[in-house]
Amino acid sequence: MRDFGCTLYGKERRIRFGIIGVGGYIAARHLKAMYEVGGELVCALDVNDSVGVLEMYFPEAEFFTRESAFVAFASNLLARAEGLDFISVCTPNFLHKRHIMLALKLASNVICEKPIVLDMRAFASLYKLEYGIPYRTESKAFQNLMSDSDKIEPKKPRIFGILQLRLHQEIINLKRRIQDDLIDNPAKYYKLKLHYITARGKWYFASWKGDERKSGGIICNIGVHLFDMLIFVFGRAQSNVLLESRAHRASGVLYFANAEIVWLLSVDSKDLPTGSHKALRTLESSDGSGEIYFDFSQGFEDLHTKSYEEIIQNRGFGLDEVYECIKLMTYIRGQESKRSC
């Protein structure tokens, strides 16, 4: 366990966390990250009471199954000037906006699993809360927010997203390689294919993840990882052609200034190559040249901890970083709606 201290407000003490949605799969990675940065989990909330994972890291944390009790406890801490530094949100996707707003009301910074929200309408609500101005893409304030210079400073407390693939060293290396290539040859154009196939059983479609209204479907629940990675590497997406859209499978062609990427997302084991049983996650040259080949099936184990390390040092990914991916997913889901009409 490492002790980084809390520098977000200049405090040098153990960081105090709360968590909403501690019973789900992804919460364990957040708990591990809290522990490894030397934090203290003060309180946890989940509507289900099967949360034995707390025993691994924070057995002394207060636990609540009712939101009102969690809020009362956290509010009492705040009244005693013992408030939470961060509340981590690990609930189903459709609840993220509500729980982010709840955390902000408790004067806590927020760390939210991705996707932070499912569409640009929800993004606009959070944008107004954090930056204090209405969201309008044509406004100078918004353009400043999304530019690298003359940026608007957000209000505190802050909203941070988990964009862990941006911290994967091999993806960082790929981004640098492509940037160097384009310096030498600005006209270079990459033609790639991306496959992200991760088999899921029947339980997946019986859960909230299989409900498009709650998860955002495969585009938001699975695609968010890939689309954000591609934006990080290649820059702002210019357009997308949707080729297929089904509950278990989606595909398309995504265009960037210097790249054309044929993508496939699937939770169907039938899409796996013969001999594969769990996952295929690759980005490679579409011409078979081998110029680019990247397998990102491994190397994710410690990326939540790295994300927390960056966040507590006030270097985390805020709304300005998640914007392009939310915009792209909203656009693709709009294409899906048109196809279904």
Side-chain angles (χ1 to χ4, degrees), residues 11 33 35-36 53 59 73 88 91 125 131 154 160 178 182 211 217 227 234 250 255 281 286 308 316 323 325 338:
K11 301 174 184 176
Y35 179 82
E36 291 189 340
V53 66
F73 178 82
S88 296
T91 49
S125 298
Y131 286 87
F160 296 100
I178 289 173
L182 292 175
D211 186 336
F227 296 136
F234 293 102
Y255 296 92
R281 301 166 183 169
S286 59
Y308 271 64
Y323 162 73
C325 187
K338 291 177 182 179

Side-chain angles (χ1 to χ4, degrees), residues 202-215:
K202 293 182 179 179
W203 68 269
Y204 181 89
F205 292 101
S207 74
W208 64 267
K209 294 183 178 183
D211 186 336
E212 197 272 341
R213 296 168 300 175
K214 294 181 178 180
S215 68

Side-chain angles (χ1 to χ4, degrees), residues 110 116 158-167 228 232 307 310-311 314-322:
V110 187
I116 282 187
R158 295 283 313 278
I159 303 168
F160 296 100
I162 295 290
L163 307 180
Q164 74 267 38
L165 289 187
R166 297 185 180 209
L167 302 175
D228 181 72
F232 174 67
S307 298
E310 292 297 302
I311 289 169
N314 203 22
R315 296 193 299 264
F317 300 116
L319 292 184
D320 55 334
E321 299 282 357
V322 306

Side-chain angles (χ1 to χ4, degrees), residues 7 15 29 71 148 176 240 314:
T7 63
I15 309 159
R29 295 189 184 183
V71 170
D148 292 328
R176 289 172 178 166
N240 179 77
N314 203 22

Side-chain angles (χ1 to χ4, degrees), residues 17-22 27 30-31 34 41 43-45 70 87-88 90:
F17 289 96
I19 186 169
I20 303 176
V22 73
H30 285 257
L31 295 175
M34 293 174 193
L41 181 66
C43 53
L45 168 66
F70 176 87
I87 292 178
S88 296
C90 302

Side-chain angles (χ1 to χ4, degrees), residues 82-102:
E82 299 174 1
L84 303 169
D85 297 305
F86 296 92
I87 292 178
S88 296
V89 175
C90 302
T91 49
N93 299 348
F94 74 105
L95 294 174
H96 285 180
K97 175 187 168 185
R98 172 183 170 177
H99 289 144
I100 288 171
M101 295 174 72
L102 174 63

